[in-house]
Amino acid sequence: MKNFFQFAERNTNYKQETLAGITTFLSMAYILVVNPLILGQAGMDKGAVFTATALSAIIGSLLIGLLANFPIGIAPSMGLNSFFTFTVSIGMGVKWEVALTGVFIAGVLFVILSLLKIREKIINVIPQDLKHAIAAGIGFFVAFIGLKNAGIIVGSEATFVSIGNLTSGPVLLALFGFIVSVIMMVRGISGGIFYGMVIATIVGIFTGLIEKPTAIVGSVPDISPTFGVVFNHLGDIFSPDVLAVIFTFLFVAFFDTAGALIAVASQAGLMKDNKIPNAGRALLADAGSAVAGAVLGTSTTASFVESSAGIAVGGRTGFTSVIIAACFGVAMLFSPILSVITPEVTAPALIIVGALMATEISKINWNNLAVIIPSFVTIIMMPLTFSVATGIALGFILYPLMMLGMGKLREVHPIMYVLGFLFVGYFIYV
């Protein structure tokens, strides 16, 4: 197994990979609770969605771990489940069964694009500076999510965002977890982020900030209300609204995943010659999990940027993803315990990981204005728009324009010009 996952080449071991897998799972586990709540508002059975969420995470994480040897967790995307419910089902009035069929079709198209290596080709032609900007931008985005989940940053009508109540119990718990994790990390303790989460959870339970689980073992909800529903509605997708939905699922998931892969590969030191090794297999695994998730009964799956939490602990191979899948399998049986994994507990990990990922900003060529503008826009717009895909899109529009303005037309790959035009059309349409 060590040879299969290339432990020696990537300087890792079973303990390091296992801790990384558990850490990533704890950072992702909220999806088991949140996804059923969001999709339930579209009329879907919450119990069935819970089981579909866990199974799709198991399938996706195993696929990317075994096929591509990547330390990444895959599960239903938070942004796309909200789009599914609030924009498509509620806003456009599309029945959830038809919307889910749209997710399935988008997933099939993903598989085709991956097999033809079109997705891999697009990722490989992205300029190195933009790849660093994407990784750094996701770092700021992840940290912003952590600050928001901790209650350190809150919404404000006057200033858009503002400082939260730093004396409230949940915020103090998050700050405590942050300090413990940082101290462990600066002292060179392997797995400091993971141990910080565990200690914060224990303190939260003893202080009453986190409720004790009412049970240890729970039954696995029936998946039959959502399983295979997509096959009964394939004839309902040929309408302008649903076709537009399919395109949007395709667009957002494509670049969310591309951004996550670039960021994770950069953080783990896997990027070689501006290319991601086994990128084709990673993208195929991601596409395959999207198809499986739709059949099971959940919105589009994607590579989770929270995977960077496990990489910060030392995850370097697909064995980390195998552990993530195993944790989701256990979680199906011990679902009541998930209540102790609160946003305040996982927030410190996201803030720390965001800081680590943001170091990619130092690798950008800040002496070239044609690079500075698109890189800065890519970075800043990810947290401000709460969308990785939007930040990438804006950067991809500006980069060819900047290079064109400097008379460096031939230094930009033609695919970048095509993407720039497509993104302009996307923003006009949306």
Side-chain angles (χ1 to χ4, degrees):
M1 191 173 294
K2 288 181 179 178
N3 291 333
F4 179 82
F5 288 109
Q6 302 175 347
F7 275 19
E9 292 90 330
R10 300 190 184 182
N11 192 29
T12 188
N13 54 60
Y14 285 117
K15 178 184 177 182
Q16 191 169 301
E17 295 290 307
T18 301
L19 274 178
I22 296 173
T23 300
T24 295
F25 166 74
L26 292 177
S27 298
M28 294 173 60
Y30 68 87
I31 198 65
L32 289 170
V33 178
V34 177
N35 200 45
L37 291 175
I38 292 177
L39 296 186
Q41 295 181 61
M44 299 181 70
D45 182 276
K46 294 179 182 178
V49 173
F50 171 86
T51 303
T53 300
L55 289 175
S56 64
I58 292 170
I59 293 170
S61 299
L62 282 176
L63 282 175
I64 200 165
L66 297 176
L67 287 179
N69 199 20
F70 263 58
I72 291 178
I74 292 179
S77 165
M78 269 299 295
L80 288 172
N81 60 9
S82 297
F83 174 77
F84 181 101
T85 295
F86 301 113
T87 301
V88 179
S89 292
I90 297 176
M92 299 172 63
V94 177
K95 293 181 179 179
W96 70 263
E97 296 92 341
V98 178
L100 198 62
T101 306
V103 171
F104 173 75
I105 297 300
V108 172
L109 293 174
F110 263 136
V111 172
I112 295 172
L113 290 173
S114 299
L115 289 173
L116 295 175
K117 295 188 176 182
I118 293 175
R119 295 177 74 190
E120 182 178 1
K121 178 67 174 178
I122 290 174
I123 290 176
N124 286 337
V125 302
I126 298 173
Q128 186 67 49
D129 288 302
L130 277 188
K131 284 182 177 176
H132 292 314
I134 290 169
I138 290 177
F140 283 99
F141 181 44
V142 168
F144 184 70
I145 292 173
L147 291 167
K148 172 182 171 292
N149 290 350
I152 297 173
I153 296 296
V154 297
S156 168
E157 291 186 4
T159 59
F160 186 63
V161 292
S162 180
I163 193 77
N165 181 5
L166 300 184
T167 61
S168 69
V171 175
L172 288 174
L173 180 63
L175 291 173
F176 171 77
F178 176 79
I179 293 170
V180 170
S181 296
V182 169
I183 290 176
M184 286 187 173
M185 290 180 68
V186 297
R187 291 184 63 85
I189 298 175
S190 178
I193 292 177
F194 171 74
Y195 296 132
M197 293 169 70
V198 172
I199 292 171
T201 300
I202 294 171
V203 171
I205 291 174
F206 274 101
T207 57
L209 293 171
I210 298 176
E211 293 185 10
K212 296 179 181 178
T214 55
I216 302 298
V217 180
S219 59
V220 179
D222 180 22
I223 197 176
S224 60
T226 60
F227 182 76
V229 168
V230 296
F231 299 116
N232 300 324
H233 295 271
L234 291 174
D236 298 330
I237 65 169
F238 300 103
S239 71
D241 284 349
V242 178
L243 290 175
V245 167
I246 292 172
F247 170 77
T248 304
F249 278 131
L250 193 66
F251 168 82
V252 178
F254 186 112
F255 288 98
D256 269 350
T257 298
L261 283 178
I262 291 169
V264 169
S266 298
Q267 185 187 2
L270 301 177
M271 194 89 75
K272 297 178 181 178
D273 300 323
N274 196 32
K275 295 183 179 180
I276 302 173
N278 294 330
R281 293 185 178 186
L283 293 168
L284 183 60
D286 183 68
S289 66
V291 173
V295 173
L296 291 166
T298 182
S299 54
T300 308
T301 59
S303 299
F304 263 53
V305 292
E306 285 87 347
S307 302
S308 51
I311 291 173
V313 173
R316 292 295 179 270
T317 75
F319 191 77
T320 291
S321 299
V322 173
I323 296 299
I324 295 169
C327 288
F328 272 105
V330 172
M332 292 178 68
L333 301 174
F334 295 90
S335 56
I337 299 180
L338 292 174
S339 62
V340 304
I341 307 172
T342 64
E344 294 80 20
V345 169
T346 59
L350 299 181
I351 297 170
I352 294 169
V353 166
L356 296 175
M357 294 177 69
T359 59
E360 288 286 320
I361 202 170
S362 65
K363 300 176 183 178
I364 298 172
N365 180 12
W366 293 107
N367 295 317
N368 186 343
L369 193 60
V371 170
I372 292 174
I373 300 301
S375 296
F376 174 76
V377 171
T378 298
I379 292 169
I380 196 67
M381 293 306 287
M382 285 187 188
L384 289 184
T385 63
F386 221 74
S387 169
V388 171
T390 300
I392 292 174
L394 292 171
F396 277 28
I397 292 172
L398 286 173
Y399 185 81
L401 286 176
M402 296 295 102
M403 297 299 284
L404 187 62
M406 293 183 67
K408 297 181 178 181
L409 174 67
R410 296 182 180 179
E411 293 185 21
V412 179
H413 196 284
I415 289 178
M416 292 297 295
Y417 289 110
V418 173
L419 289 174
F421 280 115
L422 289 176
F423 286 134
V424 170
Y426 171 78
F427 283 121
I428 293 173
Y429 172 78
V430 171

